[in-house]
Amino acid sequence: MVVPELRAWRAAGPRLARAAQAARPRLARVARAVRPRTWRVAETVRPRVARFTGTVKPHVTRVAQLARPRAGRLTTPQLATVAAVVGLALAVGAASAAGPWDSSGQRTAERDRAAAWDREGGADHGRGAGAAAQEPAPAPSAAPVLAGVSAVTTLRSAPGVGPLAAALDKLLQDPSLGSRRSAVVVDIATGKRLYGKNADDALTPASTTKIATAVAVLSAAGPDHRFTTRTVLEPGTDKLVLVGGGDPTLTARAKADGWASLRTLADTTAAALKKRRLASVSLAYDASLFTGSALHPIGVNPNLAPVMALTADEGRRDNSTEGPADRSTDPAGDAARAFAGLLRERGIKTSASAVPAAKATPRAETVASVQSPPLSAVVERMLTNSDNDIAETLARQTALATGGKPSFDGGAAAIAAQLGRLRLPLAGAAFHDGSGLNRDDRLTADLLTSLLATAGSASHPELRTVLTGLPVAGFTGTLSDRYADAAERSGTGLVRAKTGTLTGVNTLAGTVVDADGRLLAFAFLTDGSMNQTAARTALDRTAAQLAGCGCR
């Protein structure tokens, strides 16, 4: 029987091939490094494996004889049975030979090595003698992926500054990058700057602004924060109000994919109304959480809907979930009308086809509600897809969390103030929105790398999803179709970065694991380019250089 190859496998094939080709030199170096240790381990466990094989062999033979049919040929199920028994036996033997194991299920050799690393310093550089070994809890939607990298960097020196400067200077002279450029590379484990070129020049950052927005909102509201959309009933009336809580990921589609669902809210609201013996309501909506103009200064644009506290599917008029699309001019009203239709489908009549806007009173009683996933997951989606709608909403949520005004100006001011509380270098920085669509935004490469290094530090685990949400070169988000050429291929799977593009502006900021396993933060900002494709390629090539360089 021929099993057809799945479409997803065929699509992933070229990317996996590129990743394998890029990783082959590193795997060879690792193999050479571990060969002596592997030989010693093999010599140690060989007697145990031999004894185990001698013990298991008669049992395996008997199983095979019992499973063999009279005709002398094994059927497919019988072969599977014998293979499972043999595999289980070998697995048990291998585990026993690799021991000894302690009561917690950890191999004692690993436990002893971990203890030795703790004595050497490990990832926690400031721990005093006798202090409890306690790591900060990671953000709920992201694993603590940086701990291992920190441990490696404490055992090895940082890349040499001289060779790194020589390599990057040449790449950053590419004329396609335009007349102005700024670049910084930092060792995340130590915070040491390894490279700087016009590091303090404030340039237009485009969508790398979203890194600042992510750090600000996570530090202000916390990674566990959720946005609530609810229905309330005014006491003594049949007036039902749909209240927006500023959830940019609310969806009215049948497949919610884990995001808050307007359909679920309609289910629970209809059930609650029926318990109250209300079969008909007068529906209104409340989107008053945000203030100021809902329209971005760039005007009507397929990259961003009017920013409102109540919206479904980002006001998209098609079935897309990311990227440019035709947008509603009234996302809140459209969401309310969609909700009215969902209520009618569930047996609750609404008084009129038009749903008016009305602010819910403090006395209104909550009927039902739905919540977004944790803020950490929302931030990851924003960064991976470069989602402008989410970014502008999170800027307003930063203002709400810090007592500011939830508007374009208030959100921008709140981001700057929150970064100031984190003592980040804000000289020259200017914020006018949360997405980077505003060409008047200004950031420095120094600030961007400081944001990334802070997100990776042990003292700020609440910011970890700033790093895990970055697109992966050649695989996810806005980097999924990049790093395909030979000169960039060494960065595939190793570069994680936020892209930024406006007319004439090309930026890239993120992290990369270099050839020696160190985690570096980098930021490249350029302005004045006349060839966007060539400029992107030049930036990708520069980041790939970091991935392939030990630069000692």
Side-chain angles (χ1 to χ4, degrees):
M1 178 180 67
V2 177
V3 179
E5 184 180 16
L6 296 179
R7 183 181 304 171
W9 295 353
R10 291 198 303 270
R15 297 179 184 174
L16 293 175
R18 293 197 303 269
Q21 185 174 354
R24 187 175 293 116
R26 294 176 177 79
L27 292 176
R29 290 196 294 270
V30 171
R32 288 194 297 270
V34 304
R35 186 176 295 124
R37 298 181 184 178
T38 306
W39 182 86
R40 289 196 296 271
V41 171
E43 289 299 307
T44 301
V45 304
R46 182 178 291 126
R48 300 181 188 177
V49 173
R51 289 196 300 271
F52 171 76
T53 303
T55 302
V56 169
K57 184 176 181 180
H59 299 290
V60 174
T61 301
R62 285 197 295 272
V63 170
Q65 290 172 346
L66 290 172
R68 185 181 300 277
R70 294 180 181 180
R73 295 182 61 186
L74 290 174
T75 65
T76 298
Q78 290 167 338
L79 282 171
T81 302
V82 173
V85 172
V86 174
L88 180 60
L90 290 176
V92 172
S96 300
W101 304 82
D102 62 18
S103 60
S104 67
Q106 183 180 24
R107 198 160 65 91
T108 53
E110 293 173 353
R111 180 193 62 204
D112 294 342
R113 179 57 181 156
W117 273 23
D118 282 343
R119 290 192 293 271
E120 294 169 6
D124 188 355
H125 303 286
R127 185 183 302 160
Q134 182 178 358
E135 291 293 334
S141 66
V145 295
L146 302 180
V149 176
S150 298
V152 171
T153 51
T154 59
L155 301 177
R156 296 175 179 173
S157 60
V161 175
L164 185 63
L168 295 187
D169 280 346
K170 181 178 180 180
L171 289 166
L172 290 171
Q173 289 173 0
D174 191 314
S176 68
L177 294 176
S179 57
R180 301 185 67 190
R181 62 209 63 186
S182 173
V184 170
V185 179
V186 172
D187 185 339
I188 285 186
T190 64
K192 179 183 178 182
R193 181 187 291 181
L194 307 177
Y195 177 82
K197 183 182 183 69
N198 304 321
D200 298 323
D201 285 3
L203 302 181
T204 303
S207 279
T208 56
T209 301
K210 294 181 177 74
I211 296 174
T213 302
V215 168
V217 72
L218 284 169
S219 60
D224 297 330
H225 184 74
R226 297 171 186 260
F227 308 122
T228 302
T229 306
R230 60 197 176 102
T231 52
V232 299
L233 193 63
E234 295 292 351
T237 73
D238 65 350
K239 185 176 181 179
L240 183 74
V241 184
L242 175 63
V243 182
D247 180 0
T249 62
L250 182 68
T251 179
R253 294 172 182 168
K255 190 176 180 181
D257 290 328
W259 306 102
S261 170
L262 206 59
R263 292 171 182 260
T264 300
L265 184 60
D267 288 338
T268 52
T269 299
L273 291 174
K274 289 175 182 178
K275 285 184 179 180
R276 297 169 184 255
R277 299 188 178 182
L278 281 173
S280 177
V281 295
S282 176
L283 181 65
Y285 71 90
D286 182 352
S288 64
L289 182 65
F290 294 165
T291 61
S293 173
L295 192 63
H296 192 282
I298 63 173
V300 176
N301 192 285
N303 289 294
L304 178 66
V307 185
M308 297 182 175
L310 176 63
T311 183
D313 302 302
E314 300 180 337
R316 295 174 181 270
R317 295 189 182 276
D318 58 18
N319 292 323
S320 66
T321 58
E322 60 184 88
D326 185 28
R327 306 301 185 102
S328 165
T329 57
D330 181 19
D334 284 352
R337 286 184 284 274
F339 187 69
L342 293 169
L343 286 179
R344 286 192 291 271
E345 290 174 3
R346 288 152 179 79
I348 302 296
K349 297 179 180 179
T350 57
S351 57
S353 57
V355 182
K359 186 175 176 62
T361 67
R363 298 180 296 110
E365 181 181 342
T366 297
V367 176
S369 65
V370 290
Q371 286 192 318
S372 71
L375 176 58
S376 54
V378 178
V379 165
E380 284 187 328
R381 175 173 164 178
M382 173 190 71
L383 291 171
T384 301
N385 297 334
S386 196
D387 194 304
N388 298 306
D389 298 88
I390 295 178
E392 295 302 345
T393 298
L394 294 187
R396 284 160 169 73
Q397 293 288 359
T398 303
L400 288 171
T402 56
K405 294 182 178 180
S407 61
F408 278 107
D409 290 341
I415 291 172
Q418 190 63 21
L419 300 187
R421 294 184 187 100
L422 294 173
R423 298 183 178 180
L424 290 162
L426 292 174
F431 293 94
H432 295 278
D433 63 7
S435 64
L437 287 173
N438 196 316
R439 299 186 69 91
D440 291 333
D441 289 337
R442 293 290 183 271
L443 296 183
T444 65
D446 183 37
L447 173 57
L448 283 169
T449 51
S450 296
L451 287 163
L452 294 163
T454 300
S457 70
S459 58
H460 288 285
E462 75 280 4
L463 303 180
R464 204 68 77 239
T465 48
V466 174
L467 302 188
T468 59
L470 296 172
V472 179
F475 287 95
T476 64
T478 53
L479 288 183
S480 61
D481 59 350
R482 291 166 65 165
Y483 289 81
D485 295 341
E488 309 150 15
R489 206 164 289 155
S490 61
T492 301
L494 299 177
V495 173
R496 303 188 68 141
K498 183 70 204 72
T499 56
T501 306
L502 293 171
T503 302
V505 173
N506 295 277
T507 60
L508 191 69
T511 65
V512 59
V513 179
D514 76 357
D516 292 323
R518 303 175 189 85
L519 187 65
L520 309 179
F522 66 88
F524 307 137
L525 288 82
T526 70
D527 197 351
S529 171
M530 301 300 291
N531 188 331
Q532 183 184 93
T533 301
R536 283 181 176 180
T537 299
L539 292 180
D540 291 345
R541 207 169 278 159
T542 306
Q545 175 68 34
L546 290 173
C549 181
C551 299
R552 292 187 179 278

